[in-house]
Amino acid sequence: MSAKPSKAPEVAPQDMNAVRAAKERKLHELLAAGVDPYPHVFKRSSRLAPLAEKYAHLKDGEVTTDEVAVAGRIMALRNNGMFIDLRDPNGKIQLFSHKDNTPESEMKKLETVDIGDIVGAKGIIRRTPRGELTVNVKEFTMLSKSLLPLPEKYHGLTDIEQRYRQRYLDLIMNEESRNVLRTRSKIVTGIRKHMDALGALEVETPILHPILGGASAKPFVTHHNTLDTNFYLRVAPELFLKRLVIGGIADSVYEIGRTFRNEGISPKHNPEFTMIEGYHAYMDYNDMMDHVENLVQAVVKEVHGGLKVPYGDYEIDFSGPWPRKGMLELVTEATKIDFLHFDTADKARKAADDLGISTPPEVNWGQIVEAVFAEQVEPTLIQPIHVTDYPMDISPLAKTHRSNPRLVERFETFVNTWEIANAFSELNDPKEQRRRFDLQVAAREAGDEEAQMLDEDYVAALEYGLPPTGGWGMGIDRFCMLLTNSSNIRDVICFPTLKPKK
RNA sequence: GACCGCUUAGCUCAGCCGGUAGAGCAACUGACUUUUAAUCAGUAGGUCCCGGGUUCGAAUCCCGGAGCGGUCACCA
């Protein structure tokens, strides 16, 4: 391009604030000088964190003859650019430019450098008398000229909405945000490592589901054009994973993946969230309790170093063994009422009413027990506990309890009043499964939007034979909230769902 | 979905009983030069979220709307 110095930026002035205009001007100065403000590559001799380690022994004021090439984002300029704070994802270093040791050509480049630019620098490394590890700049390279100003350096970006909408800015400015999302990554890696060590096979199953299944939830609906068919975005991977166990691809399979529920958004609910589900042949829900406990402990230890984790006003102690208590038993402890004594929904409803928990007439016995449990027991479950033996009414995919036909072999693990895991001995009797589906379909026809659909192919798969299988699922996002002391699920999601602006 | 709250410069925030817009950072001009939120002097920067209304006069009061947050309801 013809590099002619241009005073006037190419963008209409009314579209820019003064800060941007100054940056545009500097960009033009670079172009005019024949400098590419967006070069293709820069060879670093080291990242910043290893440098800090390598030179930790340098005393204040000590100078080396070691030449380094470093790169990162400029976070601060002091003394008209004599001191630059450079940062990369894991470290920081100071750049020092002074006419006594920096060539005039490089000193000149400082005039086109702003806070927020990505730059590279070469020079010898030293520690200043005030103790800052520093590169004495011999050569400057603009690596990416920024055109927008960074948020205020001291307070950072605090506007919660903007932090989620422009997560990149939040990440540039807030160490805490970077750390929370890094911890999430570590948690997922830790889970995967634990599962792989067990010999479980990681698989991927469809997100586009022609038939809703695997959980009671309201779905998103989407459309495939050439098939001219609507699909649901999955609310759970469950039925496909069990098909794989039927197929014998492995004794243990698991999937970590995005799941979608078209329900309210809250500090604990994002419309798309990440679950892990695992299925293990020849095991039952007792084995799953051991499994969930081991896995959670392994990951907590890996992320936190120990098993005690602060959350809000509490300290969660993940050391085991975690108590295992029946849901009905817990309800009885809390209410002095044994709901197993009520053989009809009406009797249970009356007892719930007396507790101030009203339920609509169409709900069944299990749903009433669940409502009482949610109201009276859940808020007390701070430390890890496996709540076992759920009503069959609310568990259409779980195997009937071996000692009580009204219950199923299911448990949910609670921590900090939240359900973090849900597991059962999988129902593998095809006739019983069909009967359960029929009940769901009836509930759906009676207006229960969240009741499950009959999946003929899944029943057919069961008819070929699913081994006795233990299955479990865990919401990764909430688990991450617990381990990062986050009070909002959005903090542990890189790009949480927001209403589009305007 | 209901209730409550917030929204002012690029960012962080003031703005009283209604009298016509302020600071710090960032930017610009200059000074200074081993700083650590550098310092000093000066300059520029506004759809006060949007739309109505009341008023001589609205960032401020009233009504409606939007986005976000908190609480509750449902869900994991």
Side-chain angles (χ1 to χ4, degrees), chain A residues 5-11 24-25 28:
Chain A
S6 156
K7 286 279 176 289
E10 282 161 357
V11 183
E24 295 269 1
R25 200 198 72 230
H28 279 262

Side-chain angles (χ1 to χ4, degrees), chain A residues 238-256:
Chain A
E238 175 153 353
L239 301 186
F240 283 99
L241 289 171
K242 281 188 273 189
R243 283 177 171 97
L244 291 175
V245 177
I246 291 166
I249 189 171
D251 275 344
S252 290
V253 300
Y254 75 100
E255 177 166 12
I256 296 173

Side-chain angles (χ1 to χ4, degrees), chain A residues 191 195 200-205 209 213-216 234-242 244-245 252-259 261 273-280 288 291 295 397 421-424 426 470-476:
Chain A
I191 291 171
M195 293 304 292
L201 185 76
E202 181 171 10
V203 296
E204 292 177 279
T205 65
H209 283 195
S216 305
R234 69 178 175 195
V235 297
E238 175 153 353
L239 301 186
F240 283 99
L241 289 171
K242 281 188 273 189
L244 291 175
V245 177
S252 290
V253 300
Y254 75 100
E255 177 166 12
I256 296 173
R258 207 64 61 83
T259 310
R261 297 194 184 171
F273 61 104
T274 302
M275 290 189 52
I276 176 168
E277 281 193 10
Y279 293 86
H280 307 263
M288 293 301 99
H291 169 71
L295 177 132
L397 300 166
N422 179 22
F424 23 95
E426 301 297 334
W472 63 286
M474 191 164 95
I476 302 273

Side-chain angles (χ1 to χ4, degrees), chain A residues 80-152:
Chain A
N80 293 346
M82 181 186 291
F83 298 98
I84 292 176
D85 285 346
L86 199 68
R87 203 186 67 206
D88 76 6
N90 294 300
K92 65 184 171 82
I93 202 162
Q94 181 172 260
L95 305 183
F96 178 72
S97 307
H98 191 275
K99 54 181 190 299
D100 292 350
N101 60 52
T102 304
E104 199 185 328
S105 61
E106 308 308 294
M107 291 298 288
K108 186 110 179 82
K109 288 181 185 170
L110 281 180
E111 291 169 18
T112 55
V113 160
D114 286 307
I115 291 173
D117 292 350
I118 311 283
V119 299
K122 290 181 187 166
I124 60 108
I125 198 154
R126 69 174 173 114
R127 190 175 298 283
T128 65
R130 306 240 185 148
E132 203 71 36
L133 192 65
T134 298
V135 174
N136 282 355
V137 175
K138 288 265 158 46
E139 190 184 331
F140 252 125
T141 312
M142 176 63 70
L143 299 177
S144 186
K145 180 69 195 158
S146 71
L147 296 178
L148 290 169
L150 291 183
E152 201 254 353

